[in-house]
Every structure is written in structure tokens, then in C-alpha cells.
Amino acid sequence: AESTPEAWMAIITENEEKLRAILLPDQLEGWPDRLDEKMFRFSYYHTPWAEVLQTFADHADLSLVLDAPPPGTFNYIDPREYNAEDSIDILNGVLMMKGYTLVRRDRMLIVFNFTRGIPWELIPMVDEDDLDLRGNFEYCQVSFRLGRKVPEHIIAAVTPMLGPYGKTRHISTTRTRSEER
């Protein structure tokens, strides 16, 4: 109770390690999965973005790629705990209002100013079935087959659902009609 919000994560991790050491195997079975997953709490008041993003990247064991931090400060206090993916989505929800986004690519956490354009080659490709595992404010690319549907009709239907920086693209197939059957 006497510690600072910045020290909470270290204290939580230390206590979880102590609990893991004393629980029996059958007790560990029923223990929440979060012991193996790093959890994050947000307690920031007028904290510079560079500090927030570096602290998060360090706790998530990611390498931060940040050329220029977003302007202003981060103000967000929430007593709940979040996993890394949900934390990135929370950060992205706030960063979006400033024209920035975070992209997780392998072990890198990349900060983009998307008002300068989105480097699509760095945006991860996601399987259509895994799309629901992505955050509400997360950029990703999805490729799917249209079958015999007319690409222009699909593009017309999907385009209104895209955000201001989303895009659609028809990739021609090299198959002939006889190969499709």
C-alpha cells in the first residue's frame, strides 16, 4: 500500500513467484493462467509518452522502436489488470486521437505516426480466423479468397467498414478457369 504505482508490477510479480513456490501441483492446476502471463495496470498522470511506452515495452519484454514520441502526456488510471494485447489496445485507443499507433511485430513494439502514412509492409498479416483475437484499435492485414464472387462487389461492400486509413486491394490470381474447377 505504501509503494508507488510504478513499483506495483514488480511487487505483484515477486508475490506471484512466492505463491508458485509454495502451492502444490494440484493447487497450481486451478490457479489462474495469469501467473504465467505478465499483467499490466495503468496508473499514469501527466506522464510523457516516451516514458509510458518504454516502461510498457520493458515490462512486456519487447524492444521499443520510437523515432519521435507522440506529443503531450498520458493520463490514464485504471485499477484493473490487463494482458499485453489488451494493454496495447488501450494504449492504441488513446494514441489514435493523437494520430499514432503501436504495432507489435515479433519482439518489436513500433510506434507509428499514421498521419504520415502507414508502412503496410510492417503491418502483420493475420489469418481470417484469428481476426477476432486482435484489438479494436489494432492495425492488421487480412487476405481471403473470394471464390467465384466478383471482386469489385466485395470491395464495394467492405470499403464502408474500413477506418480512415484502411484499404482494400484485389490480388489477381494466376489460375485459369479450368484449374479452379
Side-chain angles (χ1 to χ4, degrees), residues 12-13 15-17 19-20 23 28 31-39:
I12 291 168
T13 302
N15 286 320
E16 286 179 348
E17 287 172 5
L19 279 171
R20 187 189 312 266
L23 293 176
L28 277 173
W31 196 259
D33 292 335
R34 75 176 196 86
L35 279 177
D36 295 327
E37 181 177 28
K38 290 187 178 184
M39 301 299 283

Coordinates of all heavy atoms in Angstrom, one line a residue, residues 12-13 15-17 19-20 23 28 31-39:
I12 N 3.9 -7.3 -7.5 CA 2.9 -8.4 -7.9 C 3.7 -9.6 -8.4 O 3.4 -10.7 -8.0 CB 1.9 -7.8 -9.0 CG1 1.0 -6.8 -8.3 CG2 1.2 -9.0 -9.6 CD1 0.2 -6.0 -9.3
T13 N 4.7 -9.3 -9.3 CA 5.5 -10.4 -9.8 C 6.2 -11.2 -8.7 O 6.2 -12.4 -8.7 CB 6.5 -9.9 -10.9 OG1 5.7 -9.2 -11.9 CG2 7.3 -11.0 -11.5
N15 N 5.4 -11.5 -5.6 CA 4.4 -12.2 -4.8 C 3.9 -13.4 -5.5 O 3.7 -14.5 -4.9 CB 3.3 -11.3 -4.3 CG 3.7 -10.4 -3.2 OD1 4.5 -10.8 -2.3 ND2 3.3 -9.1 -3.2
E16 N 3.7 -13.3 -6.8 CA 3.2 -14.5 -7.6 C 4.3 -15.6 -7.6 O 4.0 -16.8 -7.5 CB 2.8 -14.0 -9.0 CG 1.5 -13.3 -9.0 CD 1.1 -12.8 -10.4 OE1 1.9 -12.9 -11.3 OE2 -0.1 -12.4 -10.5
E17 N 5.6 -15.2 -7.7 CA 6.6 -16.2 -7.6 C 6.7 -16.9 -6.3 O 6.9 -18.1 -6.2 CB 8.0 -15.5 -8.0 CG 8.1 -15.1 -9.4 CD 9.4 -14.3 -9.7 OE1 10.2 -14.1 -8.8 OE2 9.5 -13.8 -10.8
L19 N 4.1 -17.4 -4.3 CA 2.9 -18.2 -4.3 C 3.2 -19.5 -5.1 O 2.8 -20.6 -4.6 CB 1.7 -17.5 -4.8 CG 0.9 -16.6 -3.9 CD1 -0.1 -15.8 -4.7 CD2 0.3 -17.4 -2.8
R20 N 3.8 -19.4 -6.2 CA 4.0 -20.5 -7.1 C 4.9 -21.5 -6.3 O 4.8 -22.7 -6.5 CB 4.7 -20.1 -8.4 CG 4.9 -21.2 -9.4 CD 5.7 -20.7 -10.6 NE 5.3 -19.5 -11.1 CZ 4.4 -19.3 -12.1 NH1 3.9 -20.4 -12.7 NH2 4.1 -18.2 -12.6
L23 N 2.7 -23.5 -3.5 CA 1.5 -24.2 -3.9 C 1.9 -25.6 -4.4 O 2.9 -25.8 -5.0 CB 0.7 -23.5 -5.0 CG 0.1 -22.2 -4.6 CD1 -0.6 -21.5 -5.8 CD2 -0.9 -22.4 -3.5
L28 N -1.7 -25.6 -8.1 CA -1.3 -24.8 -9.3 C -2.2 -25.0 -10.5 O -2.4 -24.1 -11.3 CB 0.2 -25.1 -9.6 CG 1.2 -24.4 -8.8 CD1 2.6 -25.0 -9.2 CD2 1.2 -22.9 -9.0
W31 N -4.9 -22.7 -10.4 CA -4.6 -21.3 -10.3 C -4.7 -20.5 -11.6 O -4.5 -21.1 -12.7 CB -3.1 -21.2 -9.8 CG -2.7 -19.9 -9.3 CD1 -2.1 -18.9 -9.9 CD2 -3.1 -19.3 -8.0 NE1 -1.9 -17.8 -9.1 CE2 -2.5 -18.0 -7.9 CE3 -3.7 -19.8 -6.9 CZ2 -2.7 -17.2 -6.8 CZ3 -3.9 -19.0 -5.8 CH2 -3.3 -17.7 -5.8
P32 N -5.1 -19.3 -11.6 CA -5.3 -18.5 -12.8 C -4.0 -18.6 -13.7 O -2.9 -18.6 -13.3 CB -5.5 -17.1 -12.3 CG -6.0 -17.2 -10.9 CD -5.3 -18.5 -10.4
D33 N -4.3 -18.6 -15.0 CA -3.2 -18.6 -16.0 C -2.4 -17.4 -15.9 O -1.3 -17.4 -16.4 CB -3.8 -18.7 -17.4 CG -4.4 -20.1 -17.6 OD1 -4.1 -21.0 -16.9 OD2 -5.3 -20.2 -18.5
R34 N -2.9 -16.3 -15.3 CA -2.1 -15.1 -15.3 C -0.8 -15.2 -14.6 O 0.0 -14.3 -14.8 CB -3.0 -13.9 -14.8 CG -3.2 -13.9 -13.4 CD -4.0 -12.6 -13.0 NE -3.9 -12.3 -11.6 CZ -3.0 -11.6 -11.1 NH1 -2.0 -11.2 -11.7 NH2 -3.0 -11.4 -9.8
L35 N -0.6 -16.2 -13.8 CA 0.7 -16.3 -13.2 C 1.8 -16.5 -14.2 O 2.9 -16.1 -14.0 CB 0.8 -17.5 -12.2 CG 0.2 -17.3 -10.8 CD1 0.2 -18.6 -10.0 CD2 0.9 -16.2 -10.1
D36 N 1.5 -17.1 -15.3 CA 2.4 -17.2 -16.4 C 2.4 -16.1 -17.4 O 3.2 -16.0 -18.3 CB 2.2 -18.6 -17.2 CG 2.4 -19.8 -16.3 OD1 3.3 -19.7 -15.4 OD2 1.7 -20.8 -16.4
E37 N 1.4 -15.2 -17.3 CA 1.2 -14.1 -18.2 C 1.5 -12.8 -17.5 O 0.9 -12.6 -16.4 CB -0.2 -14.2 -18.8 CG -0.5 -13.1 -19.8 CD -1.9 -13.2 -20.3 OE1 -2.8 -13.7 -19.7 OE2 -2.0 -12.8 -21.5
K38 N 2.3 -12.0 -18.0 CA 2.5 -10.7 -17.4 C 1.3 -9.8 -17.5 O 0.7 -9.7 -18.6 CB 3.7 -10.0 -18.1 CG 5.0 -10.6 -17.8 CD 6.1 -9.8 -18.3 CE 7.4 -10.5 -18.0 NZ 8.6 -9.7 -18.4
M39 N 0.9 -9.2 -16.4 CA -0.3 -8.4 -16.4 C 0.2 -6.9 -16.1 O 1.2 -6.7 -15.5 CB -1.3 -8.9 -15.3 CG -1.7 -10.3 -15.5 SD -2.6 -10.6 -17.1 CE -4.2 -9.8 -16.6

